[in-house]
Amino acid sequence: METSVHPGFPLPEAHQCPFGPAALSFRRALPVQKVRCPSGIDAWLVTRAAEIRELLGDAERFSNRPAPNTHLLTHIVPDSPAADGDFTRMDGEAHQRFRRLFGPELMSRANLTRYEPVIQRIVDNRIDSLAALDTPANLHEHFAQPVVAAVLAELFGIPPHHSEIIERTTSRALDTRATPEQTLEEQLPLIELMYGLVTERRRSPGDDLLSKMLIRADGCDDPISDLELMAMAIILLVAGGDSTVSAFLSAIQALWDNPAQLAALRDAPTAIPLATEELIRYAAISLGGLRMATRRTELGDRTIESGDLIAAFLPAATWDPAHFPDPEHLDITRSGSGHLAFGYGAHLCPGRGLARMEIRIMLETILRRIPTLRPAGSPDERRYRTHNVVLGPAVLPAAWDFVAPA
């Protein structure tokens, strides 16, 4: 029986910028090594892009049965059975059975484009509200979080006055310190809201994502229950909420930290779509990605035993010099394509297209309408998220001189 004590999982400190994560030194030393994770379990930590692609892309050797954040969250047990509708812990056809219900809306470019004017309206309305604020103001609280919550509410047909529930729940759902009791208590308002909406849409479907999921579920050979649909919707809300907020805030901070890149982007706003992908690569805000070996196998230069847990450290992969030359340099002209910030393989983030669109529109609009947007306070005063699956600024104070009309 193994008794050695392993090094700790690399997590940023409150004063440590997550760009350039501690895992970079892990990759240079041993690209695959065993670590003690925040949840108390031991797992192999994989930090190079090549091994992470292999890990996430081979569902036969590496199962998704443990929840993707089990190594980080204390309220999930790796070998516990998956809850009804938790498609994130399923492989193969069981996983695709659920993914087909929302895939056409979230993964079709043609379907996503109809949300662009909705997002633009929400962003403009929120920027209008910034004009009434005294500066400095926190872009997390006053801009990014309410924008993303409002977009999700529109997507699922949730009444606007309930968007605060989305804000509150999604920002706390991925806290690594939360107990099972705390997690359930904090999610109860969202559970009640979404189950009520499923019941309502069952009686009277609309044109929202939840209604379309219900219609497709009714056409399945293997019926999908209301409880499963509710769970799926909550997973999508949680996954698409805080991560998009943090990705946008990290993008703004990265541009502030690279003023020449910010100036180039302001001079050529048509470059923002390309720059968005590079900013997503550069920030790489997700710490998730856990698999379980289904048999004895090799990964990198290591022998992995059946049942071993393997964690993909995505921030280190997006900064892998074997894949991106000079990865620690932000280059808004770099295509950035092929990064692993959204994962890889069958469980590639289904909401990546929506997230890209939200981040792009937020960047385009805030840089156009608030051209004097700048950081408030000194870099030494910055604090970053800790004890969370999602990296990024904990707060992002900003100042400006004026807000231009839409």
Side-chain angles (χ1 to χ4, degrees):
M1 182 176 179
E2 188 175 359
T3 57
S4 59
V5 177
H6 304 297
F9 188 95
L11 289 173
E13 302 292 336
H15 63 277
Q16 177 187 20
C17 179
F19 310 149
L24 293 177
S25 60
F26 278 66
R27 184 183 62 227
R28 284 190 287 266
L30 290 170
V32 181
Q33 69 168 298
K34 194 164 278 191
V35 298
R36 176 63 50 85
C37 298
S39 65
I41 65 175
D42 292 333
W44 294 99
L45 184 73
V46 186
T47 57
R48 287 196 307 207
E51 284 85 3
I52 288 180
R53 284 179 180 274
E54 183 180 352
L55 171 68
L56 302 182
D58 190 342
E60 290 188 4
R61 292 162 59 207
F62 305 109
S63 171
N64 213 67
R65 190 171 67 82
N69 300 313
T70 307
H71 57 307
L72 302 168
L73 300 175
T74 57
H75 63 265
I76 304 175
V77 180
D79 56 0
S80 63
D84 290 341
D86 189 354
F87 61 91
T88 66
R89 300 184 61 183
M90 300 175 187
D91 298 307
E93 177 55 29
H95 171 241
Q96 291 300 326
R97 168 177 173 254
F98 289 99
R99 199 170 176 111
R100 281 192 288 266
L101 297 185
F102 53 78
E105 271 64 51
L106 292 181
M107 293 182 282
S108 162
R109 182 174 297 180
N111 284 331
L112 278 175
T113 55
R114 71 191 185 100
Y115 292 111
E116 187 155 358
V118 174
I119 298 171
Q120 186 66 64
R121 169 176 52 80
I122 290 170
V123 171
D124 275 322
N125 288 343
R126 180 49 56 173
I127 289 181
D128 288 343
S129 72
L130 293 181
L133 296 179
D134 293 329
T135 63
N138 179 9
L139 288 184
H140 183 289
E141 176 188 357
H142 296 292
F143 181 68
Q145 190 175 52
V147 162
V148 172
V151 170
L152 290 171
E154 290 263 4
L155 180 69
F156 281 90
I158 299 171
H161 61 277
H162 286 312
S163 62
E164 185 182 341
I165 294 176
I166 301 174
E167 288 186 48
R168 186 171 62 251
T169 307
T170 57
S171 66
R172 299 176 183 174
L174 300 177
D175 189 325
T176 61
R177 299 162 298 180
T179 65
E181 295 77 18
Q182 289 171 331
T183 302
L184 178 60
E185 181 180 355
E186 290 175 353
Q187 289 191 354
L188 269 179
L190 186 60
I191 292 171
E192 293 172 354
L193 171 64
M194 295 312 297
Y195 194 79
L197 283 175
V198 168
T199 304
E200 180 183 320
R201 296 297 189 275
R202 178 76 73 186
R203 294 193 305 264
S204 178
D207 192 38
D208 54 88
L209 176 59
L210 189 58
S211 296
K212 292 178 179 180
M213 288 166 59
L214 275 161
I215 292 168
R216 290 194 185 96
D218 288 342
C220 293
D221 294 333
D222 186 6
I224 294 175
S225 69
D226 287 359
L227 183 61
E228 289 174 315
L229 284 162
M230 177 202 70
M232 290 171 59
I234 290 175
I235 290 169
L236 292 171
L237 283 167
V238 169
D242 216 28
S243 57
T244 305
V245 171
S246 285
F248 168 76
L249 295 174
S250 296
I252 289 291
Q253 183 182 303
L255 290 170
W256 283 346
D257 290 345
N258 294 269
Q261 298 287 294
L262 175 58
L265 207 56
R266 281 186 168 137
D267 290 341
T270 55
I272 290 179
L274 182 66
T276 297
E277 203 66 19
E278 166 68 355
L279 287 161
I280 291 170
R281 176 204 72 82
Y282 186 81
I285 52 89
S286 173
L287 288 174
L290 188 71
R291 298 293 188 270
M292 179 182 289
T294 60
R295 59 177 182 266
R296 195 172 194 260
T297 188
E298 302 294 319
L299 186 63
D301 59 351
R302 296 291 185 168
T303 298
I304 310 295
E305 300 294 340
S306 177
D308 279 1
L309 296 172
I310 313 103
F313 199 92
L314 301 181
T318 66
W319 281 41
D320 189 338
H323 196 69
F324 293 102
D326 194 16
E328 298 169 36
H329 172 63
L330 178 67
D331 180 3
I332 61 169
T333 66
R334 190 200 316 252
S335 72
S337 62
H339 64 71
L340 300 174
F342 290 114
Y344 185 72
H347 285 266
L348 181 65
C349 173
R352 62 193 181 278
L354 181 65
R356 286 183 176 111
M357 184 182 294
E358 289 177 85
I359 295 165
R360 171 180 60 79
I361 293 173
M362 283 194 283
L363 281 172
E364 288 173 343
T365 311
I366 205 167
L367 293 181
R368 182 182 74 251
R369 295 192 55 194
I370 313 182
T372 58
L373 186 75
R374 59 189 181 271
S378 70
D380 293 340
E381 296 172 348
R382 293 178 180 175
R383 291 295 179 267
Y384 302 92
R385 303 183 69 156
T386 59
H387 307 293
N388 202 286
V389 174
V390 177
L391 299 174
V395 295
L396 197 63
W400 55 84
D401 298 328
F402 67 93
V403 174

